[in-house]
């Protein structure tokens, strides 16, 4: 017997040959779709433990939010009308330094509720208390790829004592591929401008050792890109690539200020770019050239960022 039979659904299949099935049905068994059929098929009559009458509503694959700081939904409306640098260093980082575990987890629950309400069933997250967030995501049943990113500010920075590194190791140990594979541990580098090459190489070693995805903010603002060129004589994409950050699968958020050469590097290295239009406009960061990225062969996905 099927676990679930969804009937009378207008099904968006994402299959080019058969894009939409009107008033069709979907059978689910052991957590997986076992068939998708039209309204005249015999499957429509198969017994199931639970029958859902979609009554003509749309059923489609879940949306994927590929760049989020989920708990930041509780800060929505705080620190509006700032450009990224002031927003981050003067407003957000000081507040985040005082956020309790309870506050973050309340934000994670609210953020996941918002995602599910919009049809988003999978998300990539970069924040704190990620092992606890993994437990919340596992309990709710959403799919999540989580990381706490390295932020190496200050001269006394100690990689092994960084809370991000300690949390990342715990996440890998306790949560990677947990909840039937729905939870994944990623590693994270906050951005080029908040850490140095020796830290990137250590994060990348961790990614390579455990075959993990690396999440990073990349060329989000003109200032970030200009300062990187002044520091290294290279763009963020070039300097990160030369230091091995793209050696494992990488998800780079933003890519607003990429050169054609940067796009070619990202395409060659298989780096995906999470495009966050609402965030980029809220912080007046700019408008990413998605068309040029796609023409260069870069895989582009969508994210909400901390909005
Ligand atoms: Zn972000």
């Amino acid at each position: 017997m099927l676990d679930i039979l969804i009937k009378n659904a207008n099904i968006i299949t994402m299959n080019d040959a058969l894009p939409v099935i009107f008033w069709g049905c979907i059978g689910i068994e052991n957590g997986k779709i076992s068939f998708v059929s039209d309204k005249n098929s015999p499957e429509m009559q198969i017994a199931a433990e639970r029958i859902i009458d979609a009554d003509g509503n749309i059923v489609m694959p879940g949306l994927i939010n590929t760049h989020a700081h989920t708990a930041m939904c509780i800060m929505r409306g705080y620190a509006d009308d700032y450009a990224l640098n002031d927003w981050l260093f003067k407003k957000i980082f000081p507040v985040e330094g005082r956020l309790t575990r309870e506050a973050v987890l309340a934000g994670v629950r609210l953020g996941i509720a918002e995602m599910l309400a919009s049809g988003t069933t999978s998300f990539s997250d970069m924040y704190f208390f990620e092992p606890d967030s993994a437990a919340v995501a596992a309990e709710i049943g959403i799919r999540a790829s989580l990381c706490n990113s390295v932020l190496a500010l200050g001269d006394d920075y100690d990689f092994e004592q960084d809370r991000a590194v300690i949390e990342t190791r715990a996440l890998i140990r306790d949560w990677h591929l947990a909840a039937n594979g729905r939870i994944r541990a990623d590693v994270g580098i906050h951005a080029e401008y908040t850490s140095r090459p020796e830290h990137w190489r250590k994060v990348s070693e961790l990614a390579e050792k455990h075959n993990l995805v690396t999440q990073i903010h990349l060329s989000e603002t003109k200032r970030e890109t200009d300062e990187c060129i002044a520091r290294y004589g290279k763009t963020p994409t070039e300097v990160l690539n030369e230091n091995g950050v793209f050696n494992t699968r990488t998800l780079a958020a933003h890519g607003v200020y990429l050169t054609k050469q940067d796009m070619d590097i990202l395409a060659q290295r298989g780096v995906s770019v999470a495009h966050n239009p609402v965030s980029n406009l809220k912080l007046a960061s700019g408008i990413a050239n998605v068309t040029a990225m796609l023409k260069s062969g870069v895989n582009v996905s969508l994210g909400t960022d901390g909005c």
Side-chain angles (χ1 to χ4, degrees), residues 67 69 217 254 305:
H67 182 67
H69 313 282
H217 293 105
H254 303 301
D305 208 0

